[in-house]
Amino acid sequence: MGTPADIAELRTLALVGPGTAGKTTLAEALLWKAGVIGTPGSVERGSTVSDCDPLEKKAQRSLNSSILHLRHDGVRVHVIDTPGAPDFVGQSLPALEAVETAAVVISATTGVEPMAERMMRWAAQRERDRLIIVNKIDAPDIDLEALVGEIQAAFGRECLPLNLPAEGGAKVVDCFFTRESATPTDFSSVEKAHRALVEQVVEVDAGFVERYLNDGDIDASELHAPLEQALREGHLVPICFVSARTGAGVPELLDVIAKLLPDPNEANPPQFLQGEGAAAKPLAAQPDPAKHVLAHVFKITQDPYVGKMGVMRVHQGTLKPGMQLYVGDARRPFKVGHLLTLQGKEFADLQKAVPGDLCAIAKVEELCFDAVLHDSPDDDHIHLKPFEFPVPVHGLAIEPKRRGDEQRLHDILQKLVSEDPCLRVEHVAATNESVVYGLGEQHLRTVLDRLTEVHKCEVNTRPPRIAYRETITAPAEGHHRHKKQTGGAGQFGEVFLRVEPLPRGAGFEFVDQVKGGAIPYNFMPAVEKGVRQALDSGVVAGYPVVDLRVIVYDGKHHPVDSKEIAFITAGKKALMAAVQAARPSVLEPIVNVEISAPEQNIGDITGDLASRRGQVSGTTSASGALAVRAQAPLSELASYQSRLNALTGGQGRYTIEFSHYEAVPPNVQQQLISQHKVKDED
């Protein structure tokens, strides 16, 4: 059984932030300095422990989160290396649920980028401790003092250096345990940084404030408890300096992780809830190895050889091989065969996992992303506070090249969806095509590469499909009588219904107000099925209809000829008639756009956005570049990276995130309706 000592000697952190920051190289440096590997690998050579996927080696960047382990100074450390590209936040965001500390890595050469801002914001929302790691401190022509000012402007004055670079980034000097140093630093001074740190830490404890005012300083060895409180409350966000390439500052970073970052008892507890919807209440999970088990699956992998594997964080209790576990609300438990520890692509048997441990269980089909595992049948309806993932809005129609591979393609896509919460597959009934939705062009390109290179499934694709929606703007009524006589028993069903618009995002409501058995109750599910078929297929432009209430208030039936198919047809046709009369409107997805580019290109960029029906909401300056924030229709951003490259000489980058749906201009709506009519005629 695990002991409290096991928990106190355990640290977990996720390396998050932009793709250019050097997170994977830093992970290699940590493993190297901790003695796990003899020589650090290289992203360019495809030899890192983290980027073990063939597609990652080919792309020379991280596409998946990767679990790493090391020991330093008697402390076990779990590290999750995450992708930095915005298209792959479906891998990086769940990592925040598995760790106490979000280590946001920032490149000294590019400064604070949008992805760093997003990860800092998300980590704060999940109440993670935050640590900023400034990498590439040995790069030429950088201004680290200005970068600290930029970090504080972006994230607050609570961001303070825990150490300082010296000798042009060749080494770093501690500022927390050290009051003053004879080694000159590249900017500021150890004494000044130490004083700022101590003053920030003691502010959370009135007793220490009084001592500090009386004595002028407090030994750092006495400040562990208030330091952990300051980290928990976000009152202190330490900044550490490293060069992952040379190893400068990496041993000092390992010391920071072991001595100053929280163990599972010292960090904010996980945000568990018990119950559903508004009735859900907070549940306190305690990192006690003696209590019953609570573990959260934050990652699913589908390995062609190993099979399905669930990677989880243990929050409470002790996991062991052979024990019985329940998945969520399931009534039948499964037996844990092998408990595994992961090191990149390598895995080994594990005898036990205590709170704070990251481990994996393979070949259990019931495991799914975001599932909570427990060992008590009474612990049902337990889940973590839902994560608000970005909505996938980039679409690509896809079909197998070989006839007969439809089912195989469907099965592979379902496996890929199970691995990625930001990937969605939708079958469009109107066109009988499968559409894969992702977060961007890079995301979808990686899905296609995985299909062809890993799963050996060749596919044809069509241009990205925009996820338009239809809605109504006025109440209206619809009626349809379905009557068919074929010589024997006929078909008869008649439906009267009303439609009413609902607020944007409200979805669909079905209301049965039929009186006196005009439509027998056993036929109402058929009416609703027909209504839903019409909503899914679209009415005016072939896109799903949303945000409306459908009220069925009357109808007729025949004691012999009324059948389920008759009321499905009547419900579908009545709904279509009502929507046609309810001033239908086509909605398009509007996205938030963040563009980072050299200042001299901003005028061209804002002009180009205006031509794409975009609206600029603001600009901010960052390390010689300018960040433009805007909203624009997704349909206007097809192949936007190519256009941005042309405007900025390849120096511009952008991210998009779904914002809301908005009515398209009348000319666009008419064009979409006309295109749908042409398809119907074909």
Side-chain angles (χ1 to χ4, degrees), residues 42-66:
S42 161
V43 172
E44 292 74 21
R45 294 195 303 270
S47 56
T48 64
V49 178
S50 298
D51 290 351
C52 49
D53 185 293
L55 295 184
E56 291 178 313
K57 294 179 180 182
K58 179 181 176 182
Q60 297 189 357
R61 62 170 176 268
S62 298
L63 304 175
N64 308 293
S65 59
S66 185

PDB file of all heavy atoms in Angstrom, residues 42-66:
ATOM      1  N   SER A  42      17.207  14.370 -30.591  1.00  0.00           N
ATOM      2  CA  SER A  42      16.999  15.567 -31.400  1.00  0.00           C
ATOM      3  C   SER A  42      15.666  15.463 -32.129  1.00  0.00           C
ATOM      4  O   SER A  42      15.345  14.416 -32.709  1.00  0.00           O
ATOM      5  CB  SER A  42      18.144  15.718 -32.414  1.00  0.00           C
ATOM      6  OG  SER A  42      17.786  16.572 -33.477  1.00  0.00           O
ATOM      7  N   VAL A  43      14.912  16.559 -32.130  1.00  0.00           N
ATOM      8  CA  VAL A  43      13.651  16.603 -32.868  1.00  0.00           C
ATOM      9  C   VAL A  43      13.924  16.443 -34.357  1.00  0.00           C
ATOM     10  O   VAL A  43      13.207  15.722 -35.071  1.00  0.00           O
ATOM     11  CB  VAL A  43      12.906  17.931 -32.581  1.00  0.00           C
ATOM     12  CG1 VAL A  43      11.692  18.062 -33.494  1.00  0.00           C
ATOM     13  CG2 VAL A  43      12.492  18.015 -31.125  1.00  0.00           C
ATOM     14  N   GLU A  44      14.963  17.097 -34.842  1.00  0.00           N
ATOM     15  CA  GLU A  44      15.296  17.054 -36.265  1.00  0.00           C
ATOM     16  C   GLU A  44      15.673  15.639 -36.713  1.00  0.00           C
ATOM     17  O   GLU A  44      15.347  15.223 -37.831  1.00  0.00           O
ATOM     18  CB  GLU A  44      16.445  18.019 -36.581  1.00  0.00           C
ATOM     19  CG  GLU A  44      16.096  19.497 -36.443  1.00  0.00           C
ATOM     20  CD  GLU A  44      15.986  19.950 -34.981  1.00  0.00           C
ATOM     21  OE1 GLU A  44      16.560  19.259 -34.095  1.00  0.00           O
ATOM     22  OE2 GLU A  44      15.322  20.967 -34.729  1.00  0.00           O
ATOM     23  N   ARG A  45      16.345  14.894 -35.855  1.00  0.00           N
ATOM     24  CA  ARG A  45      16.749  13.521 -36.205  1.00  0.00           C
ATOM     25  C   ARG A  45      15.669  12.496 -35.873  1.00  0.00           C
ATOM     26  O   ARG A  45      15.825  11.314 -36.177  1.00  0.00           O
ATOM     27  CB  ARG A  45      18.054  13.151 -35.479  1.00  0.00           C
ATOM     28  CG  ARG A  45      19.266  13.958 -35.914  1.00  0.00           C
ATOM     29  CD  ARG A  45      20.557  13.309 -35.429  1.00  0.00           C
ATOM     30  NE  ARG A  45      20.577  13.149 -33.974  1.00  0.00           N
ATOM     31  CZ  ARG A  45      21.053  14.056 -33.119  1.00  0.00           C
ATOM     32  NH1 ARG A  45      21.541  15.203 -33.590  1.00  0.00           N
ATOM     33  NH2 ARG A  45      21.042  13.843 -31.830  1.00  0.00           N
ATOM     34  N   GLY A  46      14.604  12.943 -35.196  1.00  0.00           N
ATOM     35  CA  GLY A  46      13.535  12.012 -34.826  1.00  0.00           C
ATOM     36  C   GLY A  46      13.938  11.038 -33.747  1.00  0.00           C
ATOM     37  O   GLY A  46      13.442   9.903 -33.702  1.00  0.00           O
ATOM     38  N   SER A  47      14.846  11.463 -32.851  1.00  0.00           N
ATOM     39  CA  SER A  47      15.395  10.537 -31.854  1.00  0.00           C
ATOM     40  C   SER A  47      14.993  10.882 -30.425  1.00  0.00           C
ATOM     41  O   SER A  47      15.606  10.387 -29.483  1.00  0.00           O
ATOM     42  CB  SER A  47      16.928  10.522 -31.969  1.00  0.00           C
ATOM     43  OG  SER A  47      17.460  11.836 -31.820  1.00  0.00           O
ATOM     44  N   THR A  48      13.961  11.732 -30.243  1.00  0.00           N
ATOM     45  CA  THR A  48      13.552  12.088 -28.882  1.00  0.00           C
ATOM     46  C   THR A  48      12.666  10.999 -28.285  1.00  0.00           C
ATOM     47  O   THR A  48      12.024  10.230 -29.004  1.00  0.00           O
ATOM     48  CB  THR A  48      12.789  13.420 -28.861  1.00  0.00           C
ATOM     49  OG1 THR A  48      11.563  13.269 -29.595  1.00  0.00           O
ATOM     50  CG2 THR A  48      13.613  14.536 -29.474  1.00  0.00           C
ATOM     51  N   VAL A  49      12.626  10.944 -26.967  1.00  0.00           N
ATOM     52  CA  VAL A  49      11.760   9.987 -26.269  1.00  0.00           C
ATOM     53  C   VAL A  49      10.297  10.357 -26.478  1.00  0.00           C
ATOM     54  O   VAL A  49       9.438   9.497 -26.657  1.00  0.00           O
ATOM     55  CB  VAL A  49      12.102   9.950 -24.765  1.00  0.00           C
ATOM     56  CG1 VAL A  49      11.165   8.992 -24.026  1.00  0.00           C
ATOM     57  CG2 VAL A  49      13.549   9.535 -24.552  1.00  0.00           C
ATOM     58  N   SER A  50      10.005  11.652 -26.479  1.00  0.00           N
ATOM     59  CA  SER A  50       8.615  12.125 -26.571  1.00  0.00           C
ATOM     60  C   SER A  50       8.005  11.873 -27.939  1.00  0.00           C
ATOM     61  O   SER A  50       6.925  11.283 -28.052  1.00  0.00           O
ATOM     62  CB  SER A  50       8.539  13.629 -26.285  1.00  0.00           C
ATOM     63  OG  SER A  50       8.966  13.917 -24.991  1.00  0.00           O
ATOM     64  N   ASP A  51       8.669  12.361 -28.988  1.00  0.00           N
ATOM     65  CA  ASP A  51       8.090  12.288 -30.336  1.00  0.00           C
ATOM     66  C   ASP A  51       8.426  10.935 -30.959  1.00  0.00           C
ATOM     67  O   ASP A  51       9.292  10.808 -31.827  1.00  0.00           O
ATOM     68  CB  ASP A  51       8.617  13.431 -31.207  1.00  0.00           C
ATOM     69  CG  ASP A  51       8.073  14.781 -30.756  1.00  0.00           C
ATOM     70  OD1 ASP A  51       7.173  14.793 -29.904  1.00  0.00           O
ATOM     71  OD2 ASP A  51       8.555  15.811 -31.255  1.00  0.00           O
ATOM     72  N   CYS A  52       7.684   9.908 -30.493  1.00  0.00           N
ATOM     73  CA  CYS A  52       7.994   8.541 -30.923  1.00  0.00           C
ATOM     74  C   CYS A  52       7.091   8.067 -32.054  1.00  0.00           C
ATOM     75  O   CYS A  52       7.325   7.021 -32.640  1.00  0.00           O
ATOM     76  CB  CYS A  52       7.872   7.591 -29.734  1.00  0.00           C
ATOM     77  SG  CYS A  52       6.332   7.773 -28.794  1.00  0.00           S
ATOM     78  N   ASP A  53       6.048   8.828 -32.359  1.00  0.00           N
ATOM     79  CA  ASP A  53       5.124   8.470 -33.433  1.00  0.00           C
ATOM     80  C   ASP A  53       5.804   8.706 -34.788  1.00  0.00           C
ATOM     81  O   ASP A  53       6.473   9.721 -34.979  1.00  0.00           O
ATOM     82  CB  ASP A  53       3.868   9.337 -33.296  1.00  0.00           C
ATOM     83  CG  ASP A  53       2.789   8.960 -34.284  1.00  0.00           C
ATOM     84  OD1 ASP A  53       2.999   9.169 -35.490  1.00  0.00           O
ATOM     85  OD2 ASP A  53       1.725   8.485 -33.855  1.00  0.00           O
ATOM     86  N   PRO A  54       5.654   7.788 -35.759  1.00  0.00           N
ATOM     87  CA  PRO A  54       6.280   7.996 -37.076  1.00  0.00           C
ATOM     88  C   PRO A  54       5.870   9.312 -37.735  1.00  0.00           C
ATOM     89  O   PRO A  54       6.687   9.952 -38.406  1.00  0.00           O
ATOM     90  CB  PRO A  54       5.781   6.798 -37.893  1.00  0.00           C
ATOM     91  CG  PRO A  54       5.458   5.751 -36.888  1.00  0.00           C
ATOM     92  CD  PRO A  54       4.982   6.479 -35.671  1.00  0.00           C
ATOM     93  N   LEU A  55       4.619   9.725 -37.529  1.00  0.00           N
ATOM     94  CA  LEU A  55       4.170  10.987 -38.118  1.00  0.00           C
ATOM     95  C   LEU A  55       4.848  12.172 -37.452  1.00  0.00           C
ATOM     96  O   LEU A  55       5.124  13.188 -38.105  1.00  0.00           O
ATOM     97  CB  LEU A  55       2.653  11.122 -38.004  1.00  0.00           C
ATOM     98  CG  LEU A  55       1.813  10.107 -38.787  1.00  0.00           C
ATOM     99  CD1 LEU A  55       0.335  10.421 -38.648  1.00  0.00           C
ATOM    100  CD2 LEU A  55       2.210  10.098 -40.256  1.00  0.00           C
ATOM    101  N   GLU A  56       5.116  12.073 -36.150  1.00  0.00           N
ATOM    102  CA  GLU A  56       5.824  13.144 -35.447  1.00  0.00           C
ATOM    103  C   GLU A  56       7.259  13.261 -35.951  1.00  0.00           C
ATOM    104  O   GLU A  56       7.772  14.378 -36.139  1.00  0.00           O
ATOM    105  CB  GLU A  56       5.815  12.875 -33.939  1.00  0.00           C
ATOM    106  CG  GLU A  56       4.445  12.998 -33.307  1.00  0.00           C
ATOM    107  CD  GLU A  56       4.456  12.691 -31.821  1.00  0.00           C
ATOM    108  OE1 GLU A  56       5.059  11.665 -31.440  1.00  0.00           O
ATOM    109  OE2 GLU A  56       3.858  13.450 -31.037  1.00  0.00           O
ATOM    110  N   LYS A  57       7.892  12.130 -36.178  1.00  0.00           N
ATOM    111  CA  LYS A  57       9.264  12.162 -36.681  1.00  0.00           C
ATOM    112  C   LYS A  57       9.312  12.780 -38.076  1.00  0.00           C
ATOM    113  O   LYS A  57      10.222  13.541 -38.399  1.00  0.00           O
ATOM    114  CB  LYS A  57       9.837  10.746 -36.704  1.00  0.00           C
ATOM    115  CG  LYS A  57      10.007  10.135 -35.316  1.00  0.00           C
ATOM    116  CD  LYS A  57      10.565   8.723 -35.391  1.00  0.00           C
ATOM    117  CE  LYS A  57      10.715   8.127 -34.000  1.00  0.00           C
ATOM    118  NZ  LYS A  57      11.296   6.764 -34.026  1.00  0.00           N
ATOM    119  N   LYS A  58       8.306  12.451 -38.882  1.00  0.00           N
ATOM    120  CA  LYS A  58       8.249  12.995 -40.237  1.00  0.00           C
ATOM    121  C   LYS A  58       7.979  14.496 -40.213  1.00  0.00           C
ATOM    122  O   LYS A  58       8.595  15.272 -40.956  1.00  0.00           O
ATOM    123  CB  LYS A  58       7.153  12.275 -41.024  1.00  0.00           C
ATOM    124  CG  LYS A  58       6.978  12.766 -42.447  1.00  0.00           C
ATOM    125  CD  LYS A  58       5.840  12.001 -43.139  1.00  0.00           C
ATOM    126  CE  LYS A  58       5.575  12.547 -44.525  1.00  0.00           C
ATOM    127  NZ  LYS A  58       4.439  11.833 -45.185  1.00  0.00           N
ATOM    128  N   ALA A  59       7.061  14.929 -39.348  1.00  0.00           N
ATOM    129  CA  ALA A  59       6.684  16.344 -39.276  1.00  0.00           C
ATOM    130  C   ALA A  59       7.680  17.176 -38.485  1.00  0.00           C
ATOM    131  O   ALA A  59       7.682  18.402 -38.576  1.00  0.00           O
ATOM    132  CB  ALA A  59       5.298  16.479 -38.652  1.00  0.00           C
ATOM    133  N   GLN A  60       8.512  16.517 -37.668  1.00  0.00           N
ATOM    134  CA  GLN A  60       9.473  17.191 -36.788  1.00  0.00           C
ATOM    135  C   GLN A  60       8.774  18.143 -35.821  1.00  0.00           C
ATOM    136  O   GLN A  60       9.243  19.245 -35.551  1.00  0.00           O
ATOM    137  CB  GLN A  60      10.550  17.923 -37.602  1.00  0.00           C
ATOM    138  CG  GLN A  60      11.400  17.000 -38.450  1.00  0.00           C
ATOM    139  CD  GLN A  60      12.588  17.686 -39.084  1.00  0.00           C
ATOM    140  OE1 GLN A  60      12.788  18.897 -38.946  1.00  0.00           O
ATOM    141  NE2 GLN A  60      13.402  16.936 -39.798  1.00  0.00           N
ATOM    142  N   ARG A  61       7.665  17.677 -35.283  1.00  0.00           N
ATOM    143  CA  ARG A  61       6.964  18.413 -34.235  1.00  0.00           C
ATOM    144  C   ARG A  61       6.041  17.442 -33.506  1.00  0.00           C
ATOM    145  O   ARG A  61       5.676  16.389 -34.031  1.00  0.00           O
ATOM    146  CB  ARG A  61       6.163  19.578 -34.806  1.00  0.00           C
ATOM    147  CG  ARG A  61       5.060  19.171 -35.769  1.00  0.00           C
ATOM    148  CD  ARG A  61       4.160  20.341 -36.114  1.00  0.00           C
ATOM    149  NE  ARG A  61       3.164  19.973 -37.096  1.00  0.00           N
ATOM    150  CZ  ARG A  61       3.305  20.094 -38.412  1.00  0.00           C
ATOM    151  NH1 ARG A  61       4.424  20.613 -38.889  1.00  0.00           N
ATOM    152  NH2 ARG A  61       2.342  19.713 -39.230  1.00  0.00           N
ATOM    153  N   SER A  62       5.657  17.805 -32.289  1.00  0.00           N
ATOM    154  CA  SER A  62       4.784  16.951 -31.483  1.00  0.00           C
ATOM    155  C   SER A  62       3.356  17.019 -32.000  1.00  0.00           C
ATOM    156  O   SER A  62       2.835  18.098 -32.302  1.00  0.00           O
ATOM    157  CB  SER A  62       4.822  17.389 -30.014  1.00  0.00           C
ATOM    158  OG  SER A  62       6.120  17.262 -29.480  1.00  0.00           O
ATOM    159  N   LEU A  63       2.723  15.856 -32.093  1.00  0.00           N
ATOM    160  CA  LEU A  63       1.321  15.761 -32.481  1.00  0.00           C
ATOM    161  C   LEU A  63       0.472  15.162 -31.364  1.00  0.00           C
ATOM    162  O   LEU A  63      -0.751  15.286 -31.383  1.00  0.00           O
ATOM    163  CB  LEU A  63       1.177  14.892 -33.735  1.00  0.00           C
ATOM    164  CG  LEU A  63       1.999  15.311 -34.964  1.00  0.00           C
ATOM    165  CD1 LEU A  63       1.853  14.282 -36.074  1.00  0.00           C
ATOM    166  CD2 LEU A  63       1.588  16.698 -35.443  1.00  0.00           C
ATOM    167  N   ASN A  64       1.128  14.491 -30.408  1.00  0.00           N
ATOM    168  CA  ASN A  64       0.429  13.842 -29.302  1.00  0.00           C
ATOM    169  C   ASN A  64       1.092  14.226 -27.985  1.00  0.00           C
ATOM    170  O   ASN A  64       2.267  14.597 -27.956  1.00  0.00           O
ATOM    171  CB  ASN A  64       0.493  12.314 -29.435  1.00  0.00           C
ATOM    172  CG  ASN A  64       0.041  11.829 -30.788  1.00  0.00           C
ATOM    173  OD1 ASN A  64      -1.116  11.949 -31.138  1.00  0.00           O
ATOM    174  ND2 ASN A  64       0.967  11.274 -31.569  1.00  0.00           N
ATOM    175  N   SER A  65       0.337  14.118 -26.901  1.00  0.00           N
ATOM    176  CA  SER A  65       0.968  14.266 -25.592  1.00  0.00           C
ATOM    177  C   SER A  65       1.738  12.982 -25.284  1.00  0.00           C
ATOM    178  O   SER A  65       1.367  11.890 -25.724  1.00  0.00           O
ATOM    179  CB  SER A  65      -0.090  14.521 -24.512  1.00  0.00           C
ATOM    180  OG  SER A  65      -1.030  13.469 -24.454  1.00  0.00           O
ATOM    181  N   SER A  66       2.820  13.127 -24.548  1.00  0.00           N
ATOM    182  CA  SER A  66       3.689  11.986 -24.258  1.00  0.00           C
ATOM    183  C   SER A  66       4.054  11.988 -22.777  1.00  0.00           C
ATOM    184  O   SER A  66       4.354  13.049 -22.204  1.00  0.00           O
ATOM    185  CB  SER A  66       4.964  12.070 -25.111  1.00  0.00           C
ATOM    186  OG  SER A  66       5.759  10.927 -24.946  1.00  0.00           O
TER     187      SER A  66
END
